Amino acid sequence: MMRRTFPLGRIAGIPIGAHWSVLVTVGLFTWVLGSYLTGTAAAPVVWATAAAGAFVFCATLLAHELAHSIVARRNGVRVEVVVLWLLGGVSELTEEPKDARADLRIALAGPLTSLGIAAIALLAATAAVDPGGPVTALLVWLAVMNAILGLFNLLPGAPLDGGRVLRAVIWWRTGDRLGAATSAARSGQFLGTVLLLLGIAELALLGHLGGLWLILLGWFLQSAAHTELTVAGLRHQLGDSKVRDVMTAHPMAIPGGWPVAELLRSDAADSGHRVFPVVDATGHPVAVVAWSDLAAVTEPARATTTVGVAARALPTAALTREDEPLSDVASRVVLRPNLDAVAVVDADGKLTGLLTATDLALACDRSALGLPLRARHRSGFPSVGTGRGTP
């Protein structure tokens, strides 16, 4: 998940957020639109229309992502948040589609929405009262940009929507989900390389600054495609393994109301573990805390600062059930060693287990060697329960 995301509310029950970099996008398109609309009206009107148009375009980007998310929810896929950022928007899904048809529907929803918006904007432009005015020019620009957005996203390479379409079609025809994901990711790497080369050529040979945008897009596609290829390999290694096969059952849970000083006097200090789940008074995990988080609390403040204040909140994606495929969890959560963890909960949302980066790395290594994911004599964390540390 993107850090430093600001909540913007909910649409159709889906949380909407914005990364700070979206301000760069608004500024860039205001400048582009201002130049494009010059001569259609007085300067103040032109720039006011340009600023409004930049926000409207961001709204169309949001509509594109919302279409993905709404269709995903209708197909049983959980959606955590839709985030607007520098290169457009992203729908953060907490799980993968269950079948190829659902994957295809979700992938096509965004581009079809953008193409639909382009058609509506073009029709509105043709019916405008002032054909030569800034509003008409803005509508034409929105139509062109949304058409480009829809068609560009249909290019066959992950993580673009066209890459998802390619994955869904191959999955549908072959029944091999892993092979389909691998093909889409490799296509995305090739597409990213092409965009990088085109951007460099445009910048070096023509001197157009638009080449920088192609270079940025190419770099992003290459990086994201590489990540998807890594995830595909991870899915292959983990196979059909479930969270219960790797998790540590009955982990040491730290009450969020404990002062940091009390935690340092408890059994946790001698446990040898570096990451702990933090629970509320009802036993529900609400955060995760590592020793580095506690080290940031000054010694004089440790007696009054609670663990809940020092800890980091658990995102929705970091909550799972014992029967969830391990590969799904590994593909949606980035666990930093000795810092992050996934909390395993029961039907009532109470903590039953913990999954760390070390657990995932060990599972992959043992799977590659043909060994069972769990060592035969593996012991869990000692349990603190509700007891207090020794004063």
Side-chain angles (χ1 to χ4, degrees):
M1 181 187 294
M2 294 185 183
R3 308 291 179 182
R4 299 180 184 176
T5 297
F6 305 98
L8 298 178
R10 289 175 178 265
I11 298 177
I14 299 171
I16 308 298
H19 188 258
W20 65 266
S21 60
V22 76
L23 297 176
V24 178
T25 302
V26 172
L28 174 64
F29 283 114
T30 298
W31 176 74
V32 169
L33 265 172
S35 301
Y36 171 74
L37 297 175
T38 298
T40 60
V45 176
V46 163
W47 288 105
T49 305
F55 280 102
V56 171
F57 182 63
C58 286
T60 65
L61 295 176
L62 178 59
H64 177 110
E65 293 303 327
L66 273 174
H68 285 306
S69 297
I70 292 171
V71 174
R73 291 210 313 178
R74 290 179 177 174
N75 284 272
V77 178
R78 291 179 294 171
V79 180
E80 182 173 356
V81 66
V82 172
V83 179
L84 291 174
W85 71 298
L86 177 64
L87 294 181
V90 60
S91 299
E92 296 187 359
L93 310 183
T94 59
E95 56 192 352
E96 291 290 324
K98 300 298 188 291
D99 56 64
R101 286 182 174 84
D103 201 13
L104 183 61
R105 286 191 289 266
I106 295 168
L108 286 174
L112 291 178
T113 297
S114 293
L115 293 175
I117 292 173
I120 293 171
L122 189 58
L123 287 173
T126 59
V129 177
D130 183 12
V135 174
T136 302
L138 172 60
L139 288 170
V140 171
W141 183 85
L142 287 172
V144 172
M145 291 300 295
N146 275 278
I148 292 174
L149 176 66
L151 295 174
F152 176 79
N153 269 280
L154 285 174
L155 291 176
L160 295 176
D161 298 331
R164 308 293 188 212
V165 171
L166 178 63
R167 180 181 71 178
V169 170
I170 297 175
W171 182 11
W172 194 346
R173 295 187 60 182
T174 65
D176 183 359
R177 178 177 180 175
L178 174 62
T182 300
S183 296
R186 286 176 177 164
S187 180
Q189 286 183 316
F190 174 76
L191 184 60
T193 301
V194 170
L195 290 177
L196 267 173
L197 294 176
L198 287 175
I200 292 172
E202 183 178 355
L203 190 62
L205 300 178
L206 302 178
H208 292 170
L209 292 180
L212 293 174
W213 191 253
L214 285 177
I215 291 172
L216 182 60
L217 277 175
W219 169 81
F220 169 73
L221 285 180
Q222 275 196 334
S223 301
H226 176 73
T227 299
E228 298 222 356
L229 200 58
T230 301
V231 169
L234 190 62
R235 286 185 177 278
H236 176 68
Q237 286 184 306
L238 296 177
D240 297 327
S241 303
K242 305 295 184 182
V243 169
R244 70 168 66 92
D245 299 328
V246 175
M247 75 176 195
T248 298
H250 311 297
M252 176 180 285
I254 309 299
W258 274 18
V260 171
E262 188 164 358
L263 169 58
L264 297 179
R265 295 193 299 266
S266 73
D267 294 339
D270 299 319
S271 68
H273 302 295
R274 298 181 179 181
V275 183
F276 303 90
V278 178
V279 296
D280 60 18
T282 61
H284 293 82
V286 293
V288 62
V289 68
W291 291 123
S292 56
D293 299 316
L294 301 176
V297 180
T298 61
E299 187 171 355
R302 291 172 185 169
T304 56
T305 302
T306 64
V307 173
V309 171
R312 288 164 286 118
L314 272 172
T316 304
L319 293 172
T320 186
R321 299 286 186 89
E322 293 184 12
D323 59 350
E324 185 172 4
L326 188 59
S327 57
D328 283 356
V329 177
S331 65
R332 74 167 185 260
V333 183
V334 177
L335 296 178
R336 295 168 295 176
N338 305 324
L339 284 174
D340 299 320
V342 172
V344 186
V345 296
D346 59 18
D348 296 323
K350 293 187 177 181
L351 183 72
T352 62
L354 195 71
L355 191 64
T356 66
T358 301
D359 295 326
L360 287 175
L362 181 61
C364 289
D365 290 342
R366 291 181 65 86
S367 176
L369 293 170
L371 296 172
L373 297 189
R374 182 188 294 274
R376 185 171 298 177
H377 300 294
R378 182 177 177 183
S379 59
F381 289 166
S383 178
V384 170
T386 56
R388 298 283 179 168
T390 304

